[in-house]
């Protein structure tokens, strides 16, 4: 919703948004993660001992965006595959995060299948799949193998402005529970 018309992101606007948001997040990201994010919209970094956050950029796969950056697609799948393998080789657990949930109507079936093919070998290490976009508190079982947790939005909607706080095991990084906090805008 940061562009007009909605979801139509011209390449120069997209580049500007990545650079600008990266500047806001710079104090949370390592220099390598910041460089990666500002040039591609995806990154990874170790956020807790033995836990890697893998942030996948699903924006290029939104087929409603006439201007979506196709050139990132193959490069990002290669990056994801290598990143997941690197985490496994280091014995790290993974939290996976992206904007569009895999079952979004904005994404193709081939996207869902490709994502599942990449994450399936690492399901024992991926302790959480976190998504947004729908502005609703949802979860979806994907391929009878993993659960996509979709968080509501801070942007006011009919459900109010909401956010989640997760409870997780400090050793295994498995999610135990979460609390949902919403503000009634009215």
């Amino acid at each position: 919703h940061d562009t007009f018309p909605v979801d139509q992101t011209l390449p120069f606007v997209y580049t500007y948004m990545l650079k600008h948001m990266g500047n806001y997040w710079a104090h949370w990201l390592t220099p390598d993660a910041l460089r990666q994010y500002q040039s591609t919209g995806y990154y990874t970094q170790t956020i807790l001992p033995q836990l890697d956050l893998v942030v996948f950029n699903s924006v290029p796969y939104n087929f409603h965006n006439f201007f979506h950056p196709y050139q990132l697609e193959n490069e990002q799948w290669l990056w994801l595959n290598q990143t997941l393998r690197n985490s496994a080789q280091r014995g790290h657990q993974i939290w996976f995060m992206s904007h569009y949930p895999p079952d979004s109507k904005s994404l193709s079936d081939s996207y869902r299948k490709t994502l599942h093919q990449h994450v399936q070998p690492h399901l024992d290490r991926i302790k959480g799949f976190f998504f947004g976009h729908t502005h609703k508190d949802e979860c979806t079982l994907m391929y009878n193998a993993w659960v996509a947790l979709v968080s509501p939005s801070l942007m006011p909607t009919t459900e109010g402005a909401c956010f989640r706080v997760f409870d997780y095991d400090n050793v295994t990084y498995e999610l135990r529970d979460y609390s949902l906090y919403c503000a009634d805008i009215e």
Side-chain angles (χ1 to χ4, degrees):
H1 303 293
D2 296 332
T3 60
F4 181 82
V6 169
D7 295 333
Q8 299 304 307
T9 310
L10 292 161
F12 76 92
V13 173
Y14 188 69
T15 301
Y16 172 80
M17 287 171 60
L18 292 178
K19 185 80 168 162
H20 194 66
M21 290 306 299
N23 290 339
Y24 279 121
W25 298 345
H27 62 281
W28 288 311
L29 300 177
T30 64
D32 287 342
L34 178 61
R35 272 191 298 280
Q36 180 76 43
Y37 173 77
Q38 288 182 317
S39 66
T40 63
Y42 53 86
Y43 67 93
T44 188
Q45 85 175 32
T46 301
I47 57 171
L48 291 168
Q50 304 296 118
L51 178 67
D52 294 341
L53 177 65
V54 175
V55 179
F56 189 83
N57 182 1
S58 53
V59 171
Y61 307 95
N62 176 355
F63 58 76
H64 295 295
N65 182 0
F66 182 73
F67 302 103
H68 69 291
Y70 288 106
Q71 73 276 9
L72 293 178
E73 292 182 16
N74 289 331
E75 179 185 314
Q76 186 174 203
W77 290 121
L78 293 172
W79 169 86
L80 178 61
N81 194 37
Q82 186 61 49
T83 298
L84 294 173
R85 271 197 260 128
N86 289 347
S87 291
Q89 288 170 353
R90 292 189 342 260
H92 285 203
Q93 305 304 316
I94 299 162
W95 284 346
F96 183 95
M97 185 167 47
S98 190
H99 179 72
Y100 292 101
D103 61 340
S104 170
K105 294 188 181 3
S106 298
L107 304 171
S108 68
D109 285 337
S110 67
Y111 168 85
R112 279 185 275 288
K113 289 176 186 171
T114 304
L115 179 61
H116 182 67
Q117 288 169 353
H118 280 74
V119 301
Q120 194 274 333
H122 304 278
L123 289 177
D124 61 325
R125 296 200 164 280
I126 302 175
K127 303 302 178 180
F129 288 91
F130 307 97
F131 300 92
H133 182 66
T134 68
H135 301 243
K136 296 178 183 169
D137 181 25
E138 303 175 304
C139 62
T140 303
L141 180 62
M142 299 299 303
Y143 297 98
N144 291 323
W146 50 280
V147 176
L149 297 170
V150 183
S151 293
S153 177
L154 283 172
M155 186 176 95
T157 64
T158 54
E159 296 179 17
C162 302
F163 67 94
R164 287 181 179 169
V165 176
F166 289 92
D167 179 34
Y168 61 90
D169 185 286
N170 290 330
V171 176
T172 66
Y173 299 116
E174 291 182 3
L175 301 177
R176 292 194 266 199
D177 200 357
Y178 71 84
S179 299
L180 180 66
Y181 297 90
C182 294
D184 182 352
I185 300 304
E186 291 180 28

